[in-house]
Amino acid sequence: MLEPYFIFKGKDSRDMDILISAMPDIVKPRRREEEVAIPGRNGVLTIDEGTYEGYTISVECGARGTEKLEEIAAWLDGSGDLFLSTEPDKIYKARISNAISIADVIYLYNSFLVQFKVFPFKYSVNAFGDNFILTRPCSIYNKGTVYSQPTMTIYGNGNIILTVNSTNYGLNGINGSVTIDSEMMEVYKDATNANDKYSALDFPRFEVGENSISWTGSVTKIEVEPKWRWL
C-alpha cells in the first residue's frame, strides 16, 4: 500500500519529507438553509438557497529532522488547489486556516496538524480533459453530483442568444468572442469587462444529468469549461 500524501499549490508533501499519520475523512458539506418560525403556523418554514457551506479538513503530519521546517512553514500558507491521495480523481479549492504549531514529539521527529478550509465542492483532477468545443447545438452530460457553473467562450458576431436547458441568455453586439464565467458571475473579452453586453437575470449552469445547449445568431463555436463538481 502506498504511503498517503497530499499536493498543495503544486508541491508534493513527499518531496518535503513529510510523513502522514492520518488523512481526513470524506465530508459532505452542510446545505445552507434557514428555518423561520411563523406565528400561527405549525412547524417552521425552511428557506433553502440551494448553496452549501465550506468546511475544514485536517491532515496529521510529521517531519523528520529540522532541515526543511522553515520551507514547510512557508509552503503551508495561503490558498491553492489541494489533492489528497485518498481521493485520486478530485481536487479541492483550499486555504490554510490554522496557525501551524510544530512540537517535538521524540528526538528528531516533529508533528503538526494542517487544517485546510475547503470550498464545499470537489472538482475533477483532470479539469482540462473535461473541456469541449461545440460547433452545433447538442446535449452534454453533467457527470458530477451537483450543478456546475461553467465558463463558456462564444465565438461570433452581432446579437446572439445562448440557450441552456430552455433558458435564454442574451449577448449583444459581440465582436469576435465573449466569455461568460458563471462561477464568478462575470462577462468579459480577454481582460476587458463586457458585462454591458450581457442581458440575463442569472448565469448558465449545468444540472446533474443531461443538459441541452443551443443558440441563435452568428456563432462559429463555443468553448466550454464545464467545471464538474462533487459534494
Side-chain angles (χ1 to χ4, degrees):
M1 183 177 179
L2 294 175
E3 64 176 282
Y5 65 95
F6 67 90
I7 299 173
F8 181 56
K9 297 195 294 188
K11 187 169 291 188
D12 194 315
S13 61
R14 295 171 296 183
D15 295 335
M16 303 298 286
D17 296 330
I18 290 176
L19 302 176
I20 309 298
S21 56
M23 293 290 272
D25 295 330
I26 296 176
V27 178
K28 182 181 182 297
R30 178 181 177 183
R31 196 175 179 98
R32 186 176 291 140
E33 298 177 336
E34 180 182 359
E35 293 185 347
V36 180
I38 299 177
R41 175 174 173 171
N42 295 316
V44 295
L45 173 66
T46 300
I47 301 174
D48 185 355
E49 299 180 7
T51 56
Y52 295 84
E53 302 282 354
Y55 56 94
T56 299
I57 56 177
S58 301
V59 181
E60 296 180 18
C61 303
R64 295 192 182 279
T66 59
E67 293 83 0
K68 291 189 176 181
L69 290 185
E70 290 186 358
E71 186 179 355
I72 290 171
W75 163 49
L76 296 177
D77 185 53
S79 302
D81 287 344
L82 171 66
F83 168 86
L84 302 175
S85 61
T86 48
E87 296 183 83
D89 59 342
K90 303 294 188 301
I91 287 287
Y92 291 85
K93 295 184 183 297
R95 63 181 174 84
I96 302 293
S97 63
N98 68 314
I100 298 175
S101 176
I102 299 175
D104 289 335
V105 179
I106 57 175
Y107 182 65
L108 288 181
Y109 188 85
N110 301 281
S111 69
F112 53 95
L113 182 70
V114 183
Q115 292 181 314
F116 294 98
K117 182 71 173 179
V118 299
F119 196 74
F121 306 118
K122 292 173 278 190
Y123 294 80
S124 173
V125 72
N126 184 27
F128 182 78
D130 292 331
N131 295 351
F132 50 88
I133 297 175
L134 304 180
T135 57
R136 58 183 177 82
C138 65
S139 292
I140 62 172
Y141 189 85
N142 180 354
K143 63 183 181 179
T145 59
V146 67
Y147 70 88
S148 75
Q149 296 172 295
T151 295
M152 307 177 72
T153 299
I154 297 91
Y155 292 84
N157 293 283
N159 296 335
I160 296 167
I161 296 177
L162 172 69
T163 303
V164 178
N165 295 329
S166 302
T167 300
N168 294 329
Y169 305 91
L171 297 164
N172 306 309
I174 304 307
N175 182 19
S177 69
V178 69
T179 298
I180 303 172
D181 188 331
S182 295
E183 193 167 32
M184 298 303 295
M185 302 178 69
E186 293 286 348
V187 179
Y188 53 86
K189 180 179 181 181
D190 300 323
T192 303
N193 184 293
N195 287 329
D196 59 338
K197 296 184 179 297
Y198 187 70
S199 57
L201 296 177
D202 54 13
F203 285 78
R205 67 187 231 175
F206 297 148
E207 305 296 341
V208 176
E210 292 289 339
N211 294 266
S212 62
I213 304 174
S214 61
W215 56 83
T216 60
S218 178
V219 175
T220 56
K221 66 177 180 177
I222 298 178
E223 294 179 353
V224 182
E225 183 183 351
K227 299 180 181 177
W228 305 136
R229 308 190 295 192
W230 288 260
L231 291 175

